[in-house]
């Protein structure tokens, strides 16, 4: 493995998320259109003479857009615009084109105005809420994707997309073809025939008459009558009260049609149901009109345009670059090339004998700077063995030094080679260039060599230049800046069960791959260095990010000791707790069920328990965490389910997983810290991600109790910046009231509560302080009155008044937030206190307190990014001072605004003083910095120092 490969493997570094299931967390939403469909030329509108033997796939675009919007976590383009729905929709269209290979493919869209159903029933779809604001700017982007893929979109005023689906399905069948309707909408089940089927893209399943019979127990021609009886609360179709799916099925099986059911209404058992059916005759007939799809919409189907042909790779490449879809871009680069691109050959010199190595070493020691990369046996640097060294100091060529190779192949002695290279690798006077050099430094550190002289890291440079990009790996940088397509690791070691280890690959093949890593980084160096200078990022790069690499190498090499026995006890306890919660949940529900199944949970909560539906997805009522929290206010069952989920997650993610992550060589867990992931500049971690351990909960404390100092007689020390983001805000906005509160070292949350509520500080209760804290950490990022009311459990009017009072009391805050957005709109980017930049689009002129995603991103980047700059500076200062003074104390972890150390007990006081001094003085602000220090025998047992 090389650092190029390692960077691609770390969780969180992938440029796109994995495929996801249908969302249970989605709210039911109204149709939104990705722009008006473009009318094809007249010659493209004529129907083909026959569709015999052809497959026509028609997509319910609105349904699919909402599925992916709610299912895929928040994603932004390099410019900070939301693109999660664009990504998901593009992915699904490419999947249909590549895997299903339709002969014809087109999309149906809902119109922007009312349809004929609103004339039939004014309350039709009246319960639908507004289109999510983060989806609105994605609609025209989806329109562009459809155009580039050559997929026509049809939309007819007054008719829903479902009606268009029905019309296209009918016309396809009449012309002798087979139609597949891609939708999650159950209304379309009425379209099923011998030549029309429904396709669920999430489950990759075709739904036909047999599936309908197994599911609802009715025939396709009975679907409309079935839905009319049952109703549809999502679309506000009334149905008949007390007639559910089972009874509707039984009635239709017995009587055949809705007319016959109504004719025999007097025979229905149950007085209330019978009366409802008799009195609801007119209503149910209207319901049937609402749910019946119109298969004769006056429309011209663009058959010729819908015929699947070549995709426009140039257009798609441009869109992928704009949206940051790098994996998709690779597909279209291959399609774009009409002929293989001839690339300059990179000459690989294999140094595999002592004689060659001796000559090579003479040349190497003449170089003031060189590019450098390691090939290893593992992506885990603390466990990897070095397979070979690659070096380059001239464009077009490089050297590969194999120290492990397949049996029978020449290679150098591992120990002797490393020792011979030591003086050069450890020399701070000899500059090293590379990609993700932290990995190489960690591997060498495990071998007893301290890499020094890091001059330039191409990954870090790319990150600073394009913080919003999700991919900074060498393959991408080579293509982006050099138009060079690199050898892929899978070409060497394969994939899956047949994957080889790097030292099992022939040396000649490894050499070409390895030398390319070093040579490409060498060519990227001057290009990226020039761009850093142009964007005024050189100082940030050289004074902060590069020195931090050395600090992170120290942290990851140190690792932290965990108590596996303690975790085993917790595993047993959590298992018993989960089992007990299961029993309680089953008792409350009245029967066992799969608690992890959203579908079964929907049945229990909303059908059997009759709890009110808070939000809906295309597949039914939502059961996500926010919904359960709402329901827990009125019923104990959702609260138990929340508790069950929390313990199950902690057990699986930490209690059971951490012992498996202990390095057998060191007996410690070595967390990986990533500099080039979050666009704000904050560090992220993985393997394990310790940032997600609950801080204030008892279960979080229990897990932290398993983190211990390495040696007997040592203690842990945790130093945490107090309210650092609020202090950064005060520094920037210079609001006098906010700055004075920090200057007096007052409880800022209590002070805000006192000033906003207009009560003496002594009279502020916990509820007031909690509300003020929610304001401090929420409203500055654009939390609405609705969001604040929901989080605090208060009326929306009260929350709105709270927000107004807050900004009236602290006018400097609102002025500063408005200035951030104003500058971002003018410049196209925002900057942190040290000049870190992030390009952001989508800022609206005169944006108020209700902010969209780009606006929230802009504010978050300035405040959170500046706090990240500050703690990075502190880490560098502390690291250097510990080394300079020769103290045995070690820095172990960085968790957001907290640093964790270990030291001999007798030196804890000295360490605490050192840490507090460096953290509070590293960057002078207009308000004082404050650090809370705790020490103890475990991470959980730390108590306040002094």
């Amino acid at each position: 493995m090389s650092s190029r490969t390692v960077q691609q493997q770390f969780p969180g570094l992938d440029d796109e998320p994995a495929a996801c299931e249908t969302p249970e967390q989605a709210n039911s939403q109204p149709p939104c259109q990705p722009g008006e469909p473009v009318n094809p030329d007249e010659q493209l509108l004529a129907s083909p003479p026959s569709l015999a033997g052809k497959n026509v796939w028609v997509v319910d675009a609105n349904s699919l857009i909402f599925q992916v919007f709610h299912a895929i976590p928040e994603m932004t383009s390099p410019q900070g615009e939301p693109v999660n729905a664009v990504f998901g929709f593009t992915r699904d269209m490419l999947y249909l084109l590549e895997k299903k290979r339709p002969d014809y493919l087109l999309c149906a869209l809902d119109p922007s105005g009312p349809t004929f159903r609103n004339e039939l029933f004014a309350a039709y779809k009246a319960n639908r809420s507004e289109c999510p604001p983060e989806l609105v700017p994605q609609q025209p982007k989806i329109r562009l994707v459809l155009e580039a893929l050559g997929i026509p979109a049809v939309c007819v005023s007054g008719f829903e997309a479902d009606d268009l689906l029905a019309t296209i399905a009918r016309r396809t069948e009449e012309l002798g073809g087979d139609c597949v309707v891609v939708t999650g909408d159950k209304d379309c089940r009425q379209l099923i025939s011998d030549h029309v089927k429904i396709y669920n893209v999430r489950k990759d399943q075709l739904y036909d008459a047999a599936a309908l019979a197994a599911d609802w127990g009715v025939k396709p021609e009975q679907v409309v009558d079935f839905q009319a009886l049952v109703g549809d609360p999502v679309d506000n179709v009334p149905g008949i009260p007390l007639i559910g799916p089972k009874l509707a099925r039984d009635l239709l099986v017995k009587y055949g049609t809705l007319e016959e059911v109504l004719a025999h209404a007097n025979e229905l058992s149950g007085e209330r149901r019978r009366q409802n059916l008799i009195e609801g005759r007119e209503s149910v007939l209207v319901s049937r009109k609402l749910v019946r799809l119109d298969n004769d919409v006056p429309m011209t189907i663009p058959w010729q345009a819908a015929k699947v042909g070549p995709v426009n790779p140039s257009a798609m490449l441009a869109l992928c670059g704009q949206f940051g879809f790098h994996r998709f871009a690779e597909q279209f680069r291959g399609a774009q090339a009409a002929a293989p691109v001839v690339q300059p050959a990179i000459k690989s010199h294999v140094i595999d004998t002592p004689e060659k190595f001796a000559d090579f070493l003479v040349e190497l020691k003449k170089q003031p700077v060189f590019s450098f990369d390691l090939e290893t046996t593992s992506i885990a640097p603390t466990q990897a063995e070095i397979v070979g060294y690659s070096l380059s100091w001239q464009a077009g060529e490089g050297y590969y030094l194999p120290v492990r190779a397949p049996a029978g192949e020449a290679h150098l002695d591992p120990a002797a080679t490393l020792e011979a290279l030591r003086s050069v690798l450890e020399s701070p006077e000899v500059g090293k260039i590379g990609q993700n050099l932290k990995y190489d430094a960690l591997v060498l550190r495990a071998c007893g060599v301290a890499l020094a002289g890091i001059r330039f890291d191409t990954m870090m440079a790319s990150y600073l230049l394009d913080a919003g990009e999700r991919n900074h790996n060498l393959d991408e940088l080579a293509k982006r800046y050099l138009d060079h397509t690199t050898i892929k690791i899978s070409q060497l070691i394969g994939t899956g069960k047949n994957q080889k280890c790097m030292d099992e690959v022939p040396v000649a093949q490894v050499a070409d791959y390895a030398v390319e890593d070093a040579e490409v980084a060498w060519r990227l160096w001057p290009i990226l260095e020039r761009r850093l200078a142009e964007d005024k990022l050189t100082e940030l790069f050289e004074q902060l990010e590069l020195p931090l690499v050395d600090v992170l190498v120290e942290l990851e090499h140190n690792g932290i000791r965990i108590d596996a026995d303690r975790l085993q006890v917790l595993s047993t306890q959590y298992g018993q707790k989960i089992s007990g919660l299961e029993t309680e949940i089953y008792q409350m529900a009245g029967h066992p069920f799969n608690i992890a199944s959203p579908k079964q949970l929907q049945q229990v909560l909303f059908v059997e328990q009759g709890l009110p539906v808070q939000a809906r997805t295309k597949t039914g009522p939502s059961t996500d965490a926010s919904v359960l929290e709402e329901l827990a206010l009125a019923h104990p069952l959702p609260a138990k389910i929340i508790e069950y989920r929390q313990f199950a997650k902690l057990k699986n993610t930490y209690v059971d997983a951490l012992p498996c992550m202990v390095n057998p060589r060191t007996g410690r867990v070595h967390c990986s810290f990533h500099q080039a992931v979050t666009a704000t500049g904050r560090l992220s971690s993985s393997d394990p991600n310790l940032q997600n351990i609950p801080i204030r909960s008892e279960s979080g404390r229990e897990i932290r109790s398993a983190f211990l100092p390495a040696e007997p007689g040592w203690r842990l020390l945790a130093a945490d910046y107090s309210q650092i983001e609020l202090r950064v805000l005060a520094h920037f906005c210079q609001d006098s009231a906010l700055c004075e509160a920090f200057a007096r070292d007052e409880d800022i949350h209590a002070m805000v509560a006192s000033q906003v509520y207009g009560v003496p500080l002594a009279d502020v209760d916990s509820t007031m302080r909690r509300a003020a804290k929610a304001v401090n950490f929420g409203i500055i990022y654009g939390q609405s009155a609705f969001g604040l009311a929901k989080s605090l459990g208060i009326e929306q009017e009260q929350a709105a008044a709270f927000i107004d009072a807050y900004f009236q009391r602290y006018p400097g805050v609102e002025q500063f937030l408005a200035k951030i957005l104003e500058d971002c709109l003018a410049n196209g980017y925002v900057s942190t206190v040290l000049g870190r930049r992030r390009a952001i689009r989508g800022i609206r002129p005169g944006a108020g307190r209700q902010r969209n995603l780009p606006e929230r991103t802009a504010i978050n980047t300035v405040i959170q990014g500046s706090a990240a700059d500050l703690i990075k500076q502190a880490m560098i200062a502390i690291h250097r001072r510990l080394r300079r003074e020769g103290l045995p104390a070690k820095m172990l972890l960085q968790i957001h605004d907290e640093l964790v150390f270990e030291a001999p007990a007798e030196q804890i006081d000295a360490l605490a003083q050192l840490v507090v001094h460096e953290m509070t003085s590293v960057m002078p602000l207009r308000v004082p910095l404050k650090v809370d220090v705790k020490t103890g025998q475990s991470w959980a047992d730390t108590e306040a120092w002094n």
Side-chain angles (χ1 to χ4, degrees):
M1 299 293 174
S2 68
S3 55
R4 183 210 315 189
T5 310
V6 172
Q7 192 234 341
Q8 294 168 345
Q9 296 289 332
F10 281 143
L13 292 182
D14 293 334
D15 58 327
E16 274 88 48
C20 48
E21 294 301 315
T22 302
E24 60 153 317
Q25 71 271 28
N27 291 320
S28 178
Q29 301 292 352
C32 292
Q33 296 74 47
E36 289 301 316
V38 177
N39 290 325
D41 295 335
E42 288 299 320
Q43 65 267 26
L44 301 181
L45 296 174
S47 299
S50 172
L51 290 176
K54 301 297 184 181
N55 286 307
V56 177
W57 288 60
V58 57
V59 179
D60 182 352
N62 295 94
S63 172
L64 186 56
I65 289 167
F66 277 108
Q67 282 184 18
V68 296
F69 173 74
H70 289 294
I72 295 176
E74 188 176 276
M75 292 173 62
T76 57
S77 70
Q79 297 77 33
E81 298 174 297
V83 291
N84 62 329
V86 185
F87 167 78
F89 190 84
T90 304
R91 177 198 61 196
D92 287 347
M93 291 299 99
L94 292 176
Y95 177 81
L96 294 179
L97 287 169
E98 295 169 6
K99 302 299 183 182
K100 301 305 176 182
R101 298 190 176 277
D103 297 306
Y104 295 82
L105 177 62
L106 65 163
C107 289
L109 296 167
D110 286 317
S112 55
T115 69
F116 72 90
R117 292 181 177 84
N118 297 103
E119 298 176 9
L120 286 172
F121 184 56
Y124 179 67
K125 292 192 175 181
N127 294 334
R128 295 283 182 106
S129 56
E130 292 298 320
C131 184
E134 312 305 351
L135 180 54
V136 172
Q138 300 190 61
Q139 295 162 6
K141 295 179 176 66
I142 291 173
R143 173 72 255 178
L144 293 174
V145 169
L146 286 174
E147 291 175 0
L149 292 176
I151 302 172
V154 291
C155 180
V156 178
S157 178
F159 295 90
E160 295 182 58
D162 287 353
D163 299 314
L164 277 59
L165 300 177
T167 301
I168 294 168
R170 177 185 64 81
R171 289 289 292 134
T172 299
E173 196 166 6
E174 290 174 351
L175 291 166
D178 293 309
C179 186
V180 180
V181 181
V182 182
T183 183
D185 196 330
K186 295 179 180 179
D187 290 348
C188 290
R189 294 181 178 186
Q190 63 189 268
L191 306 178
I192 292 172
S193 71
D194 290 342
H195 295 281
V196 179
K197 294 180 176 59
I198 310 298
Y199 177 69
N200 186 318
V201 70
R202 298 276 71 77
K203 299 179 180 179
D204 189 24
Q205 289 179 351
L206 280 173
Y207 195 92
D208 56 13
L212 175 64
D215 192 0
W216 281 358
V218 298
K219 302 173 183 177
E221 57 268 25
Q222 294 176 311
V223 165
V224 174
D225 291 347
F226 176 88
Q227 290 182 290
L229 286 166
V230 174
D232 184 357
V234 173
D235 290 342
N236 210 31
V237 175
I240 299 295
L242 298 182
I243 294 185
K246 185 177 184 300
L247 180 56
R249 177 200 65 196
D250 293 343
L251 291 172
L252 289 172
V253 168
K254 184 175 182 179
Y255 299 113
T257 66
L258 177 59
E259 285 80 5
E260 287 300 311
V261 170
L262 293 172
H264 294 83
N266 288 325
E267 301 172 14
L268 187 62
S269 63
E271 182 177 350
R272 288 185 61 192
R273 284 183 298 189
R274 182 169 59 252
Q275 195 66 25
N276 287 344
L277 184 57
I278 294 171
E279 295 177 354
R281 177 184 179 85
E282 295 304 319
S283 174
V284 77
L285 291 175
V286 171
S287 292
R288 183 166 65 173
K289 291 181 180 179
L290 294 175
V291 298
R292 176 178 282 132
L293 303 183
D294 187 340
N295 67 357
D296 195 22
V297 174
M299 63 182 294
T300 305
I301 302 171
W303 292 114
Q304 191 61 36
K307 192 171 184 179
V308 174
V311 171
N312 184 338
S314 297
M316 281 304 301
L317 266 174
L319 292 177
C320 288
Q322 177 184 339
F323 304 150
F325 299 161
H326 301 296
R327 194 175 69 202
F328 294 157
E330 284 300 314
Q331 300 177 33
F332 294 110
R333 286 194 184 106
Q336 186 183 39
V341 177
V342 178
Q343 297 184 150
I346 300 174
K347 189 173 183 180
S348 304
H349 303 282
V350 179
I351 309 300
D352 55 4
T353 68
E355 293 76 19
K356 290 180 182 179
F357 182 64
D359 293 339
F360 164 81
L361 203 56
V362 171
E363 290 302 311
L364 174 63
K365 290 183 177 181
K366 296 178 183 177
Q367 309 307 319
V369 60
F370 60 85
S371 182
F372 165 70
D373 186 64
L374 294 177
E375 300 304 325
T376 65
T377 58
S378 172
I379 62 172
T382 56
Q383 301 182 42
E385 300 285 350
I386 299 174
V387 173
Y389 306 78
S390 57
L391 303 96
S392 177
W393 51 80
Q394 182 175 334
E397 67 177 310
Y399 303 85
Y400 180 63
L401 285 58
V403 295
R404 283 180 174 78
E409 291 207 41
H411 60 280
L412 303 174
D413 178 75
T417 302
L418 180 63
E419 195 56 39
L421 294 173
R422 179 187 293 275
S423 63
V424 176
L425 295 174
E426 292 188 335
S427 172
E429 306 303 321
V430 180
K432 284 78 176 183
I433 311 297
Q435 166 82 6
N436 190 22
L437 283 171
K438 175 168 72 72
Y439 173 82
D440 305 279
L442 277 164
V443 173
L444 290 171
R445 181 70 178 273
C447 298
V449 173
L451 182 66
I454 294 178
R455 171 80 174 274
F456 200 88
D457 190 307
T458 52
M459 183 181 78
M460 291 312 309
S462 172
Y463 171 65
L464 286 185
L465 290 167
D466 298 293
E469 287 281 358
R470 291 182 296 277
N471 194 335
H472 303 280
N473 66 40
L474 195 65
D475 296 333
E476 175 61 28
L477 299 186
K479 177 55 65 177
R480 191 185 307 168
Y481 291 104
L482 304 174
D483 196 25
H484 176 91
T485 301
T486 54
I487 303 169
K488 303 301 182 285
I489 184 66
S490 58
Q491 296 174 237
L492 267 71
I493 64 175
T495 59
K497 296 180 179 179
N498 297 322
Q499 183 172 310
K500 300 176 182 177
C501 195
M502 190 65 84
D503 57 1
E504 298 173 331
V505 179
V507 168
Q509 294 180 32
V510 178
D512 290 340
Y513 173 86
V515 166
E516 181 182 63
D517 280 355
E519 192 272 348
V520 165
W522 178 263
R523 282 193 285 151
L524 285 170
W525 170 32
I527 298 172
L528 296 176
E529 190 172 53
R530 182 174 62 253
R531 277 205 60 197
L532 287 172
E534 291 170 353
D535 288 359
K536 298 180 174 56
L537 292 168
T538 301
E539 184 176 356
L540 179 67
F541 178 75
E542 294 180 349
Q543 301 301 318
L544 188 74
E545 295 297 349
L546 275 189
L548 188 66
V549 171
D550 195 34
V551 182
L552 297 183
V553 169
E554 182 73 23
L555 264 66
E556 293 188 33
H557 177 76
N558 289 338
I560 189 168
R561 178 187 163 208
I562 64 167
D563 186 344
D565 293 336
R566 170 63 175 156
L567 290 173
Q568 180 59 54
V569 171
L570 289 179
S571 180
T572 301
Q573 292 176 355
Y574 282 24
Q576 293 170 347
K577 180 68 175 178
I578 291 169
S579 179
L581 287 168
E582 282 182 346
T583 300
E584 291 183 68
I585 290 170
Y586 296 159
Q587 289 174 347
M588 291 180 181
H591 62 85
F593 67 99
N594 183 356
I595 303 171
S597 166
K599 187 173 182 180
Q600 293 188 34
L601 195 54
Q602 290 170 1
Q603 175 70 21
V604 169
L605 294 178
F606 305 112
V607 178
E608 298 173 11
Q609 298 294 323
L611 296 177
V613 174
Q614 302 294 313
R616 286 187 175 274
T617 73
K618 281 289 184 180
T619 58
S622 172
T623 59
D624 72 1
S626 62
V627 166
L628 293 181
E629 288 169 1
E630 286 285 326
L631 296 176
L633 299 174
H635 197 283
L637 179 55
K640 287 296 178 184
I641 294 169
I642 292 173
E643 191 177 3
Y644 171 88
R645 286 181 176 179
Q646 290 171 341
F647 274 99
K649 181 178 180 179
L650 291 175
K651 185 176 188 295
N652 295 332
T653 306
Y654 295 109
V655 175
D656 292 341
L658 282 171
C660 301
M661 296 181 181
V662 174
N663 187 313
R665 294 181 180 176
T666 65
R668 291 182 161 214
V669 170
H670 297 266
C671 188
S672 295
F673 294 94
H674 310 298
Q675 281 177 274
V677 174
T678 69
T680 61
R682 295 183 92 177
L683 295 175
S684 64
S685 67
S686 66
D687 306 314
N689 179 4
L690 301 180
Q691 295 178 345
N692 287 342
I693 298 177
I695 297 175
R696 293 175 179 84
S697 70
E698 181 59 32
S699 54
R701 284 185 53 82
E702 289 174 341
I703 294 172
R704 289 181 176 221
S705 71
F707 289 79
L708 307 173
E711 306 291 339
W714 284 46
R715 295 172 66 87
L716 294 183
L717 182 146
D720 189 3
Y721 274 120
S722 173
Q723 301 171 349
I724 186 60
E725 291 183 23
L726 293 180
R727 293 174 191 269
V728 168
L729 173 65
H731 167 76
F732 277 125
C733 75
Q734 302 182 52
D735 183 272
S736 57
L738 198 57
C739 290
E740 288 170 7
F742 280 121
R744 292 192 296 266
D745 194 22
E746 293 171 339
D747 181 337
I748 192 66
H749 300 315
M751 178 58 66
V752 168
S754 169
Q755 293 165 341
V756 172
Y757 280 109
V759 300
L761 187 61
D763 293 340
V764 172
D765 58 26
S766 59
T767 302
M768 294 178 181
R769 187 182 186 278
R770 182 168 63 91
K773 186 174 182 180
V775 172
N776 282 328
F777 289 112
I779 294 176
I780 58 175
Y781 295 123
Q783 186 177 35
S784 65
F786 174 79
L788 181 63
K790 188 174 181 180
S791 65
L792 297 179
I794 60 177
E795 294 297 323
Q796 190 167 335
E797 294 78 8
Q798 184 182 356
F802 202 111
I803 294 172
D804 288 339
Y806 176 88
F807 284 121
Q808 288 172 8
R809 186 67 183 84
Y810 302 104
V813 172
E814 190 159 32
Q815 292 167 10
F816 167 65
L817 300 181
K819 186 68 165 53
I820 290 177
L821 301 183
E822 180 184 329
D823 290 347
C824 185
L825 181 63
N827 302 326
Y829 64 87
V830 291
S831 299
T832 67
V833 66
L834 292 184
R836 184 186 308 276
R837 289 186 180 185
R838 183 178 184 185
I840 296 175
R841 294 178 185 166
I843 306 298
R844 301 165 298 173
R849 294 175 186 170
Q850 302 299 310
R851 302 189 183 102
N852 61 22
L853 177 59
E855 289 155 1
R856 296 197 304 273
T857 300
I859 292 171
N860 184 58
T861 299
V862 173
I863 297 175
Q864 193 179 92
S866 295
D869 288 350
L870 196 153
I871 196 165
K872 285 181 176 180
Q873 276 196 327
M875 293 171 70
I876 294 168
I878 294 169
H879 172 74
R880 288 173 172 171
R881 190 168 165 193
L882 290 175
R883 280 191 170 182
R884 186 169 64 248
E885 299 183 11
L887 299 177
K890 296 179 180 179
M891 196 186 311
L892 307 179
L893 300 174
Q894 192 259 37
I895 311 294
H896 297 311
D897 305 321
E898 178 183 10
L899 299 176
V900 179
F901 304 82
E902 64 181 7
E906 65 273 13
Q907 294 189 16
I908 282 292
D909 286 346
L911 175 63
Q913 292 172 8
L914 181 154
V915 169
V916 169
H917 178 268
E918 297 300 334
M919 291 180 71
T920 56
S921 63
V922 70
M923 184 190 296
L925 299 183
R926 294 185 176 93
V927 296
L929 291 172
K930 183 179 179 181
V931 177
D932 296 324
V933 178
K934 297 180 179 180
T935 70
Q937 296 294 336
S938 75
W939 196 5
D941 296 335
T942 54
E943 297 179 354
W945 171 74
N946 284 349

